Amino acid sequence: MAELIVGLVAAVLAVVLVLRTVRIVPQARASNVERLGRYLRTLEPGLNVVIPFIDRPRALIDLREQVVSFEPRSVITEDNLVVDIDTVLYFQVTDPRAAAYEIFSYLQAIEQLTVTTLRNVIGSMDLEKTLTSREYINSQLRGVLDEASGKWGIRVNRVELKAIDPPPSIKESMEKQMRADREKRAAILTAEGQRQARILTAEGDRQAAILRAEGQAQAIDTVFGAIHRNDPDPKLLAYQYLQMLPELAKGPGNTFWVIPSEVTTALQNVTKAFTGALPEKTDSDSPQVTQ
């Protein structure tokens, strides 16, 4: 019975010894090993062997790129306006030993350094420039953070401003200004459209008048050509003119007409023709006056 108990105890100690000796590190992780409280080496992903009770592996460190979003921070611009800025940081641990021993908490250090750099950069810019210079602010933050965090075993890959929130009164003023600008642009576009429409309408009327004039000119040329080819008699022309007089008189402003001399001569000929056709009066036809 005693031998069984000793065997069981030996088996348990062997299992514990194996578990304390063999360390398995997952992929993209690392673990620092301390021997008697002093840094010895960094365990790589895979199977690793340490001396139990002498070597002490510390907590795993993630070597993948990490994303951390910081709480909004109040920053004062050059024109003395307070804005709240949210930042997002992309970083990666490149040296597990430095990340564990060079600084107590690299996340807290990066956050405080980000806030300080933001206040330095935005403090030299007014609100309008701050709202339109995100890329410049991001580059400035990344440069400062990457330089400072290099000795901590951290590489800052990217810094983004997630939001820049000005005070509510400034937001309202900006909205009014934007609305006024939109209304101004709309009024300008409407006036420009009306102007173009009037220009096109006038151009269309001009082209129509030109085409009508050309059509009338061609019609007149055609009529005169036909007249000259047929060589009409002046009497016929005078007769046609007499037929057109009622049509000319229908116009409200037609109170004066100019009759060409040729038409006058033709009318005289027509009158003579009609006078010659009538029978001459005799004395017997004249009325008798009685005493």
Side-chain angles (χ1 to χ4, degrees), residues 98-115:
Y101 297 105
E102 293 296 334
I103 192 167
F104 175 74
S105 174
Y106 55 82
L107 280 179
Q108 184 179 0
I110 290 176
E111 181 180 5
Q112 295 302 319
L113 186 59
T114 300
V115 174

mmCIF file of all heavy atoms in Angstrom, residues 98-115:
data_model
loop_
_atom_site.group_PDB
_atom_site.id
_atom_site.type_symbol
_atom_site.label_atom_id
_atom_site.label_comp_id
_atom_site.label_asym_id
_atom_site.label_seq_id
_atom_site.Cartn_x
_atom_site.Cartn_y
_atom_site.Cartn_z
ATOM 1 N N ALA A 98 11.645 44.502 -25.089
ATOM 2 C CA ALA A 98 11.521 45.933 -24.816
ATOM 3 C C ALA A 98 10.107 46.295 -24.381
ATOM 4 O O ALA A 98 9.917 47.151 -23.498
ATOM 5 C CB ALA A 98 11.911 46.721 -26.061
ATOM 6 N N ALA A 99 9.106 45.663 -24.982
ATOM 7 C CA ALA A 99 7.724 45.959 -24.605
ATOM 8 C C ALA A 99 7.435 45.570 -23.170
ATOM 9 O O ALA A 99 6.579 46.170 -22.510
ATOM 10 C CB ALA A 99 6.761 45.245 -25.551
ATOM 11 N N ALA A 100 8.137 44.573 -22.646
ATOM 12 C CA ALA A 100 7.887 44.114 -21.278
ATOM 13 C C ALA A 100 8.750 44.826 -20.256
ATOM 14 O O ALA A 100 8.309 45.019 -19.105
ATOM 15 C CB ALA A 100 8.123 42.607 -21.197
ATOM 16 N N TYR A 101 9.961 45.264 -20.662
ATOM 17 C CA TYR A 101 10.898 45.770 -19.660
ATOM 18 C C TYR A 101 11.250 47.248 -19.819
ATOM 19 O O TYR A 101 11.758 47.845 -18.872
ATOM 20 C CB TYR A 101 12.188 44.939 -19.695
ATOM 21 C CG TYR A 101 11.979 43.487 -19.336
ATOM 22 C CD1 TYR A 101 12.001 42.509 -20.317
ATOM 23 C CD2 TYR A 101 11.724 43.101 -18.028
ATOM 24 C CE1 TYR A 101 11.804 41.179 -19.994
ATOM 25 C CE2 TYR A 101 11.515 41.775 -17.694
ATOM 26 C CZ TYR A 101 11.550 40.819 -18.691
ATOM 27 O OH TYR A 101 11.334 39.493 -18.363
ATOM 28 N N GLU A 102 10.984 47.826 -20.964
ATOM 29 C CA GLU A 102 11.358 49.224 -21.164
ATOM 30 C C GLU A 102 10.298 50.193 -20.659
ATOM 31 O O GLU A 102 10.590 51.361 -20.426
ATOM 32 C CB GLU A 102 11.633 49.485 -22.654
ATOM 33 C CG GLU A 102 12.854 48.772 -23.203
ATOM 34 C CD GLU A 102 14.133 49.250 -22.557
ATOM 35 O OE1 GLU A 102 14.171 50.410 -22.075
ATOM 36 O OE2 GLU A 102 15.118 48.474 -22.510
ATOM 37 N N ILE A 103 9.065 49.734 -20.519
ATOM 38 C CA ILE A 103 7.991 50.611 -20.055
ATOM 39 C C ILE A 103 6.968 49.766 -19.312
ATOM 40 O O ILE A 103 6.797 48.554 -19.586
ATOM 41 C CB ILE A 103 7.339 51.364 -21.250
ATOM 42 C CG1 ILE A 103 6.437 52.485 -20.726
ATOM 43 C CG2 ILE A 103 6.587 50.414 -22.152
ATOM 44 C CD1 ILE A 103 6.016 53.453 -21.819
ATOM 45 N N PHE A 104 6.302 50.412 -18.352
ATOM 46 C CA PHE A 104 5.349 49.672 -17.529
ATOM 47 C C PHE A 104 4.124 49.242 -18.335
ATOM 48 O O PHE A 104 3.714 48.087 -18.302
ATOM 49 C CB PHE A 104 4.940 50.531 -16.328
ATOM 50 C CG PHE A 104 3.885 49.911 -15.479
ATOM 51 C CD1 PHE A 104 4.187 48.853 -14.634
ATOM 52 C CD2 PHE A 104 2.575 50.357 -15.519
ATOM 53 C CE1 PHE A 104 3.214 48.251 -13.850
ATOM 54 C CE2 PHE A 104 1.594 49.758 -14.745
ATOM 55 C CZ PHE A 104 1.916 48.703 -13.907
ATOM 56 N N SER A 105 3.481 50.205 -19.065
ATOM 57 C CA SER A 105 2.293 49.915 -19.880
ATOM 58 C C SER A 105 2.417 50.714 -21.174
ATOM 59 O O SER A 105 2.229 51.938 -21.173
ATOM 60 C CB SER A 105 1.009 50.266 -19.131
ATOM 61 O OG SER A 105 -0.125 50.108 -19.966
ATOM 62 N N TYR A 106 2.760 50.019 -22.238
ATOM 63 C CA TYR A 106 2.956 50.738 -23.498
ATOM 64 C C TYR A 106 1.651 51.307 -24.050
ATOM 65 O O TYR A 106 1.636 52.333 -24.710
ATOM 66 C CB TYR A 106 3.642 49.849 -24.539
ATOM 67 C CG TYR A 106 2.968 48.530 -24.828
ATOM 68 C CD1 TYR A 106 1.890 48.452 -25.702
ATOM 69 C CD2 TYR A 106 3.415 47.355 -24.251
ATOM 70 C CE1 TYR A 106 1.277 47.255 -25.990
ATOM 71 C CE2 TYR A 106 2.823 46.143 -24.530
ATOM 72 C CZ TYR A 106 1.744 46.091 -25.404
ATOM 73 O OH TYR A 106 1.135 44.897 -25.675
ATOM 74 N N LEU A 107 0.496 50.681 -23.751
ATOM 75 C CA LEU A 107 -0.787 51.223 -24.222
ATOM 76 C C LEU A 107 -1.089 52.563 -23.553
ATOM 77 O O LEU A 107 -1.501 53.524 -24.216
ATOM 78 C CB LEU A 107 -1.911 50.229 -23.948
ATOM 79 C CG LEU A 107 -2.072 49.070 -24.928
ATOM 80 C CD1 LEU A 107 -3.209 48.168 -24.492
ATOM 81 C CD2 LEU A 107 -2.297 49.583 -26.337
ATOM 82 N N GLN A 108 -0.908 52.618 -22.257
ATOM 83 C CA GLN A 108 -1.149 53.867 -21.542
ATOM 84 C C GLN A 108 -0.169 54.943 -21.994
ATOM 85 O O GLN A 108 -0.547 56.111 -22.160
ATOM 86 C CB GLN A 108 -1.020 53.643 -20.040
ATOM 87 C CG GLN A 108 -1.352 54.879 -19.201
ATOM 88 C CD GLN A 108 -1.238 54.618 -17.710
ATOM 89 O OE1 GLN A 108 -0.904 53.502 -17.291
ATOM 90 N NE2 GLN A 108 -1.516 55.637 -16.909
ATOM 91 N N ALA A 109 1.075 54.567 -22.227
ATOM 92 C CA ALA A 109 2.074 55.532 -22.678
ATOM 93 C C ALA A 109 1.725 56.067 -24.068
ATOM 94 O O ALA A 109 1.832 57.276 -24.338
ATOM 95 C CB ALA A 109 3.455 54.881 -22.691
ATOM 96 N N ILE A 110 1.290 55.191 -24.966
ATOM 97 C CA ILE A 110 0.919 55.628 -26.314
ATOM 98 C C ILE A 110 -0.290 56.556 -26.267
ATOM 99 O O ILE A 110 -0.355 57.563 -26.983
ATOM 100 C CB ILE A 110 0.646 54.401 -27.197
ATOM 101 C CG1 ILE A 110 1.953 53.647 -27.479
ATOM 102 C CG2 ILE A 110 -0.007 54.819 -28.513
ATOM 103 C CD1 ILE A 110 1.763 52.366 -28.264
ATOM 104 N N GLU A 111 -1.276 56.245 -25.416
ATOM 105 C CA GLU A 111 -2.457 57.101 -25.310
ATOM 106 C C GLU A 111 -2.091 58.502 -24.830
ATOM 107 O O GLU A 111 -2.530 59.511 -25.403
ATOM 108 C CB GLU A 111 -3.467 56.472 -24.355
ATOM 109 C CG GLU A 111 -4.740 57.290 -24.204
ATOM 110 C CD GLU A 111 -5.728 56.639 -23.263
ATOM 111 O OE1 GLU A 111 -5.381 55.610 -22.651
ATOM 112 O OE2 GLU A 111 -6.859 57.170 -23.129
ATOM 113 N N GLN A 112 -1.266 58.577 -23.781
ATOM 114 C CA GLN A 112 -0.883 59.887 -23.263
ATOM 115 C C GLN A 112 -0.027 60.650 -24.263
ATOM 116 O O GLN A 112 -0.172 61.869 -24.416
ATOM 117 C CB GLN A 112 -0.121 59.715 -21.938
ATOM 118 C CG GLN A 112 -0.950 59.128 -20.814
ATOM 119 C CD GLN A 112 -2.185 59.967 -20.500
ATOM 120 O OE1 GLN A 112 -2.122 61.206 -20.487
ATOM 121 N NE2 GLN A 112 -3.311 59.304 -20.234
ATOM 122 N N LEU A 113 0.839 59.957 -24.969
ATOM 123 C CA LEU A 113 1.657 60.615 -25.973
ATOM 124 C C LEU A 113 0.803 61.114 -27.136
ATOM 125 O O LEU A 113 1.062 62.187 -27.703
ATOM 126 C CB LEU A 113 2.729 59.646 -26.481
ATOM 127 C CG LEU A 113 3.762 60.221 -27.451
ATOM 128 C CD1 LEU A 113 4.516 61.378 -26.820
ATOM 129 C CD2 LEU A 113 4.726 59.122 -27.900
ATOM 130 N N THR A 114 -0.237 60.352 -27.484
ATOM 131 C CA THR A 114 -1.147 60.776 -28.554
ATOM 132 C C THR A 114 -1.882 62.053 -28.168
ATOM 133 O O THR A 114 -2.001 62.988 -28.970
ATOM 134 C CB THR A 114 -2.159 59.658 -28.851
ATOM 135 O OG1 THR A 114 -1.458 58.485 -29.256
ATOM 136 C CG2 THR A 114 -3.124 60.079 -29.951
ATOM 137 N N VAL A 115 -2.394 62.121 -26.935
ATOM 138 C CA VAL A 115 -3.104 63.315 -26.482
ATOM 139 C C VAL A 115 -2.181 64.520 -26.466
ATOM 140 O O VAL A 115 -2.537 65.622 -26.919
ATOM 141 C CB VAL A 115 -3.705 63.068 -25.086
ATOM 142 C CG1 VAL A 115 -4.314 64.354 -24.533
ATOM 143 C CG2 VAL A 115 -4.749 61.971 -25.141
#
